[in-house]
Every structure is written in C-alpha cells, then in structure tokens.
Amino acid sequence: MTAMLETAILRFSKLRRAPGSVWSEATKKQAPHKPLLLLSLLDLVARGVVSSSFIDVREDLVELNELFTNYWRRVVPIRQTSSIAFPFSRLHNEPFWKLVPAANQELDRKTINSINTVTQLRQVAVGGQIDTDLYTLLLKEENRSILRQVLLESCFSTAAIRELNDQAAIHAEAFSYNQDLLLKAQLPLVKEAVESANYRAMARDQGFRRAVVTTYDHRCALCGIRIVTAEGHTAVDAAHIVPWSKTHNDDIRNGMALCKLCHWAFDEGMVGVSDKYVVLTSRQIALKSNVPGSLQTLTGRLIVAPDDESFWPAQEYLRWHRREFRLI
Ligand SMILES: [Zn+2]
C-alpha cells in the first residue's frame, strides 16, 4: 500500500463530525454529512462526471446533491433534512479539501460556518479543491473501493452500511442503464429497446429520468417552462409517451421531459403531439371551464425538443398516443 493511500485512509477514518443527540446509532451518534458527501463524490468520480480535482459548485453540484440526498434518505429519519451546502463547506476543516472563494470573497471561519444553502454557498465560493494526491488515488476503482469501506466502517452501523451499499449499487446500476439508453437511442427502434429486465425498478427510474431530463435540459417539451432550483430540483418529470406499464419501453424516444401540469394533461390525453411535432389539444380543453389558459395556448406550437435530433420522440409512439386518445 502506498503512503498516499495510507494517508487517505487515515484522513477518511478520522473525519471531524459533530456529535449530537439528534443522530442515531445508524450514524454512530455523529453528523453523517461529510461521509455521505464523500460517498457521493466517489460515485461521481466513477461516473466520470468529475474529471478534475476541482468540484464546481455550479456544474457538479446538482448531480452530487442527487446522490447525496439518496444516501441521506437511507440512513437519516425522514424529518431530518439537510443541504449539501453544509458538508461541502465544512469539509474545509479537513486537510484534503479547500473551499475556493468566489472573486472578492474572504472565506474565514465565520463565513464558512454561516453557509446553510446552495444559494449562500454559490455567493461565496466557486468550488471545492480536493488534494491532488487524493484525487489521483480516486481515479482507481480499487482505491475508491478501499476508501468507501473506510468511510462506511468508521461512520455507520452495520445496518446502515447495508442500506448504503444497496444505494451505491443502485447508483451504479442507474448510471449503467442511463449510458445504455443514450447508446441505444442511436440505433433503429426495436420493440424492447434495452434489456430493462436486468435492472431494478429504482435504477431504471433514475437512469431513464437522468437521460430524458438532461437531453431536454430540464425544459418542458410542450410548454417550454424551465425551472431548476439552486439545489437542482427541476420542474420537469421524465414522462413516457407509451406508458411503461404497456410496453416496458424506456427508449429515450419514448420519453419527453414534461412539467407536472403538461405531464398530467398528456397522460389524460388532453394534449398530444402531431406528426409534424406540433402540439395538439383535445376538444375537451376548449370546452371545459377551469382548464388553465396556458394549456389552451399551446395549440399549434412546435414542441421544444432536444438539440440532438436522434433523441426526439419517435413518430410511432406519438401516433400510438394520438390514437389512444383520439387526438387528430
Ligand atoms: Zn409544461
């Protein structure tokens, strides 16, 4: 074992974590923020999303936060919430992580300890700088696996370790499914586009969602709305055109990013998409009172599709939807 790895093991096993009665046995009665953030970081490095020792608070944080939240929910009671901004800033007091200040900002202890939201974090910092020796170590799967084990064993109970290992497996599966979907979208349509049976439902959902939401860049295909919060929460869902229950088809071309209202209206057959990619609305919408005006104004507009045409909704699926709801 190299000296660098030994140092990393020592540092990961001695994270400074606040003790407190709010924390259960699952996290050894100490705050779990830092180890959960580091577990998420290990996943992100494995995905190739983080490709340098600098973690950008704008570009990398959304996906990091999604993984962090998934881990958090597995070991922390539902009533306790947290923001990733908390560990992202407090890791500054560990020897391997430095918060990099934004222009004209001073990062003294008081400023760092006052950061509780992503918006606050982005005001004072541009990112986190990992020790370059540590980053080099993290590029190797073997080292990541050793360091993951160190984090788990030093910070969590046996039951919590089981939960976190399961979540890590889902993250890996979701990413592999996501990559599969992106590749398969370049091939001609087939009935069973991806071997979805090999994947667990949770991994499929995450993989499909990531593929659709990112190819549409968080924009609703029908109304064009795009709202992403600082924490990375998005107004859109990854919607299936032909429902998953009918054909088990997660092909990206059987998906569209839709906001909650458009998703509901599409699933109810109140709106559809023509063979020219124009939004159609059902007669029901025109006749009914209390239907939001915003839905009616969509009629005749072109959908907002991904830049890359290979990801556009397939005509075959849109036709199925129009027929199903008698939208002409
Ligand atoms: Zn919409």
Side-chain angles (χ1 to χ4, degrees):
M1 194 180 291
T2 66
M4 266 179 358
L5 184 57
E6 275 176 34
T7 307
I9 290 173
L10 195 68
R11 288 171 170 177
F12 273 33
S13 65
K14 292 192 184 315
L15 290 176
R16 291 160 65 184
R17 304 195 292 141
S21 56
V22 291
W23 306 115
S24 70
E25 277 304 332
T27 63
K28 301 198 171 172
K29 302 207 182 262
Q30 289 183 311
H33 305 75
K34 284 183 185 175
L36 294 182
L37 173 59
L38 292 171
L39 287 175
S40 313
L41 180 65
L42 293 176
D43 290 349
L44 221 51
V45 174
R47 288 181 176 192
V49 172
V50 168
S51 51
S52 83
S53 58
F54 178 72
I55 318 294
D56 194 302
V57 293
R58 293 186 186 273
E59 288 177 15
D60 303 318
L61 211 64
V62 168
E63 191 158 349
L64 193 65
N65 188 40
E66 191 184 326
L67 303 173
F68 173 78
T69 307
N70 292 341
Y71 280 129
W72 180 272
R73 288 194 187 126
R74 297 296 286 253
V75 291
V76 179
I78 197 127
R79 62 181 184 282
Q80 277 170 265
T81 55
S82 176
S83 166
I84 193 167
F86 196 84
F88 199 97
S89 49
R90 272 60 167 192
L91 271 173
H92 188 73
N93 66 17
E94 299 292 340
F96 57 84
W97 182 283
K98 285 287 159 275
L99 205 53
V100 181
N104 305 320
Q105 291 288 336
E106 283 281 339
L107 286 178
D108 54 25
R109 203 186 182 89
K110 193 167 157 248
T111 310
I112 291 174
N113 287 340
S114 68
I115 298 172
N116 289 313
T117 66
V118 173
T119 306
Q120 287 172 331
L121 174 67
R122 286 178 178 162
Q123 277 164 1
V124 298
V126 288
Q129 179 67 49
I130 319 169
D131 175 87
T132 46
D133 283 348
L134 173 62
Y135 177 71
T136 310
L137 284 176
L138 295 186
L139 293 175
K140 268 196 165 168
E141 158 66 30
E142 191 190 336
N143 294 334
R144 287 198 299 272
S145 148
I146 294 171
L147 290 169
R148 171 180 299 278
Q149 217 44 45
V150 170
L151 287 170
L152 290 172
E153 281 168 17
S154 51
C155 305
F156 301 98
S157 71
T158 312
I161 291 175
R162 253 196 317 273
E163 292 289 321
L164 294 172
N165 274 333
D166 188 55
Q167 189 59 50
I170 290 172
H171 284 164
E173 239 180 81
F175 186 66
S176 132
Y177 192 55
N178 172 271
Q179 298 298 99
D180 259 8
L181 292 176
L182 291 168
L183 280 177
K184 296 279 164 71
Q186 307 300 327
L187 305 174
L189 288 179
V190 283
K191 268 211 166 56
E192 188 62 41
V194 169
E195 295 297 323
S196 57
N198 298 337
Y199 293 89
R200 283 183 281 179
M202 218 186 290
R204 267 199 336 260
D205 287 349
Q206 283 176 25
F208 177 68
R209 185 182 159 70
R210 186 180 191 273
V212 172
V213 170
T214 53
T215 52
Y216 283 78
D217 188 28
H218 298 266
R219 196 173 293 285
C220 175
L222 299 183
C223 73
I225 197 173
R226 182 183 191 280
I227 310 175
V228 187
T229 68
E231 251 78 10
H233 303 154
T234 179
V236 294
D237 300 331
H240 287 93
I241 299 170
V242 180
W244 163 261
S245 59
K246 294 215 184 289
T247 51
H248 290 200
N249 186 348
D250 274 342
D251 193 301
I252 296 174
R253 293 160 295 184
N254 185 37
M256 285 193 287
L258 296 179
C259 74
K260 313 289 175 197
L261 179 60
C262 289
H263 190 177
W264 177 81
F266 187 84
D267 283 353
E268 292 292 325
M270 289 186 182
V271 288
V273 179
S274 81
D275 58 357
K276 301 275 190 297
Y277 291 106
V278 165
V279 181
L280 304 168
T281 45
S282 75
R283 273 167 48 81
Q284 256 190 83
I285 281 199
L287 297 176
K288 275 195 175 161
S289 53
N290 295 326
V291 168
S294 60
L295 282 181
Q296 297 184 30
T297 62
L298 298 181
T299 318
R301 281 169 52 163
L302 274 175
I303 66 164
V304 187
D307 289 340
D308 183 342
E309 270 190 52
S310 55
F311 297 126
W312 284 29
Q315 284 302 335
E316 171 179 345
Y317 305 139
L318 292 172
R319 196 180 316 124
W320 177 92
H321 179 265
R322 291 195 299 271
R323 285 194 183 146
E324 179 78 4
F325 293 102
R326 300 192 167 78
L327 283 162
I328 26 151

